[in-house]
């Protein structure tokens, strides 16, 4: 499973040198807010695109790597499971946050506890 085939992300620039707009294509998913079933991958990858646009390439790669590692480890939210039963949003984020230090490509997250 690749990140690109799982999570669509929208991005764009208002002008060639202007600010960018980044976000998951599904928006904020208010209809499932508070249920613990949201897949945060699109939002996280949009944040990685934002970091890239701000010149923080290593931080962007680190975040992308942590998302990919979490998905590769089989931690998937209900929308990605055939049974509709999967990890909660909190469980997904707990695994992803634990993966961040190992996903580092530089020192942006040096203060994150392993």
């Amino acid at each position: 499973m690749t990140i690109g085939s799982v999570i669509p992300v929208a991005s764009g620039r208002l002008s060639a040198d202007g600010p960018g707009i980044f976000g998951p294509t599904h928006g904020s998913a208010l209809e499932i807010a508070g249920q613990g079933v949201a897949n945060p991958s699109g939002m996280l990858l949009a944040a990685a695109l934002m970091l890239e646009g701000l010149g923080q390439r290593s931080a962007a790669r680190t975040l992308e790597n942590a998302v990919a590692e979490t998905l590769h480890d089989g931690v998937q939210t209900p929308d990605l499971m055939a049974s509709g039963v999967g990890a909660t949003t909190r469980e997904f984020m707990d695994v992803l946050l634990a993966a961040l230090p190992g996903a580092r490509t530089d020192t942006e997250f040096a203060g994150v506890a392993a």
Side-chain angles (χ1 to χ4, degrees):
M1 172 183 321
T2 64
I3 292 177
S5 66
V6 177
I7 311 299
V9 175
S11 67
R13 290 214 177 270
L14 298 178
S15 66
D17 59 349
I21 299 173
F22 307 94
T25 57
H26 57 68
S28 59
L30 292 175
E31 66 278 1
I32 60 172
Q35 297 178 33
V37 296
N39 183 338
S41 299
M43 181 273 309
L44 293 165
L45 294 174
L49 283 174
M50 178 190 68
L51 288 167
E52 179 84 29
L54 293 171
Q56 300 298 315
R57 288 174 184 81
S58 185
R61 295 295 88 71
T62 298
L63 189 51
E64 290 171 353
N65 290 343
V67 171
E69 183 177 327
T70 301
L71 292 170
H72 179 69
D73 287 348
V75 182
Q76 298 177 359
T77 50
D79 61 311
L80 301 177
M81 304 295 291
S83 65
V85 177
T88 65
T89 306
R90 169 72 61 183
E91 290 166 340
F92 183 94
M93 287 305 301
D94 286 347
V95 172
L96 182 128
L97 290 171
L100 269 178
R104 282 180 42 199
T105 58
D106 202 356
T107 58
E108 286 86 3
F109 300 105
V112 176

